[in-house]
Amino acid sequence: MMFAGSPRAPEGYFAALEPIGGRSLNASTSLDQTKYCAEVPAASLSRALYVEADRMGFLLASINEEQLEIQRRVVLHEYHERGGGGPGSNIALARVEALYPEGHPYRRIYEDPDDIRAIRLDHVRWFFQRYYTPANATLAVAGHFDTAELRESIERYFGQLRGSEAPATTSRRVPPLQESENIDVDEPLSRESISYAWHPPAGVEEGDAALD
């Protein structure tokens, strides 16, 4: 939904950034975060920040049922592309069930198609207002730019957005593995495979950089 238009950029995110040299306009979702990224010429940085702040602060006023249905079809298509529920899925499920206890947020690695079909605009609005706020976001800018001018642009565009408390986080801590465990899974695959998995250090904690 985040690529749809807002009142200030009604034609959408791509149409707002591509004319000023924007490229690599994309997003990805992991178990910990959703990340939006864009590359723009240094001269267009202020405009890019304006567009990013605009969709955080004002996109919610423009989303509609048609846009939701388009994104619903996209997510269902990606689900089937990734093989959700298909060959190999039992291996992944067996792995996370062995690594994470019941109730841990990492236990659920696949979207449920029925849940995707059941999403309504009210759900989108609630999620947006709860999680897509300055208090729950990190802005990273890398490249050749004037730091003082960058800070001024960030304050100008993001500083006007209504603040909110950061949502409570769910603990990701898990009991350490005391011994190795072997799990055999039958899958309709073309060849046998062996998969190794273990708990790494938590992000930015001791040992994380060394493991990378």
Side-chain angles (χ1 to χ4, degrees):
M1 298 298 293
M2 298 309 302
F3 293 112
S6 68
R8 301 181 184 182
E11 296 182 359
Y13 183 75
F14 297 105
L17 289 185
E18 287 176 345
I20 61 172
R23 64 175 190 170
S24 300
L25 311 177
N26 209 341
S28 62
T29 299
S30 70
L31 293 170
D32 294 307
Q33 65 181 0
T34 296
K35 177 174 62 178
Y36 301 94
C37 56
E39 294 180 21
V40 298
S44 301
L45 179 56
S46 181
R47 173 65 180 176
L49 291 169
Y50 168 83
V51 172
E52 292 290 356
D54 180 65
R55 66 173 175 175
M56 175 177 280
F58 305 101
L59 180 141
L60 193 59
S62 298
I63 59 175
N64 54 49
E65 291 285 356
E66 180 182 1
Q67 293 168 336
L68 176 58
E69 179 57 30
I70 291 173
Q71 294 306 315
R72 185 185 289 115
R73 291 199 299 266
V74 169
V75 173
L76 287 170
H77 178 72
E78 291 177 345
Y79 169 84
H80 293 297
E81 268 194 335
R82 291 194 300 268
S89 60
N90 288 337
I91 295 175
L93 289 173
R95 183 165 55 239
V96 298
E97 288 174 359
L99 289 173
Y100 304 109
E102 190 69 43
H104 194 279
Y106 290 1
R107 287 273 288 201
R108 187 170 184 177
I109 60 174
Y110 291 122
E111 303 97 338
D112 187 321
D114 289 337
D115 287 347
I116 297 169
R117 297 185 186 97
I119 293 174
R120 298 292 179 264
L121 269 181
D122 283 345
H123 302 142
V124 175
R125 293 188 180 104
W126 174 86
F127 188 91
F128 189 102
Q129 292 170 327
R130 179 64 173 158
Y131 293 101
Y132 199 63
T133 69
N136 196 44
T138 298
L139 175 65
V141 182
H144 183 68
F145 51 81
D146 181 274
T147 303
E149 291 181 3
L150 171 67
R151 289 185 178 275
E152 181 181 346
S153 294
I154 292 173
E155 288 292 338
R156 183 187 311 131
Y157 301 131
F158 287 88
Q160 65 175 308
L161 303 184
R162 185 178 63 183
S164 66
E165 294 183 2
T169 58
T170 303
S171 174
R172 297 172 296 171
R173 298 293 179 182
V174 293
L177 299 176
Q178 300 299 325
E179 58 186 14
S180 61
E181 180 180 0
N182 297 325
I183 302 173
D184 294 327
V185 181
D186 290 330
E187 283 275 35
L189 301 177
S190 59
R191 60 183 180 181
E192 293 181 345
S193 67
I194 298 176
S195 173
Y196 295 93
W198 62 91
H199 292 304
V204 304
E205 290 191 359
E206 184 178 358
D208 175 45
L211 181 62
D212 283 345

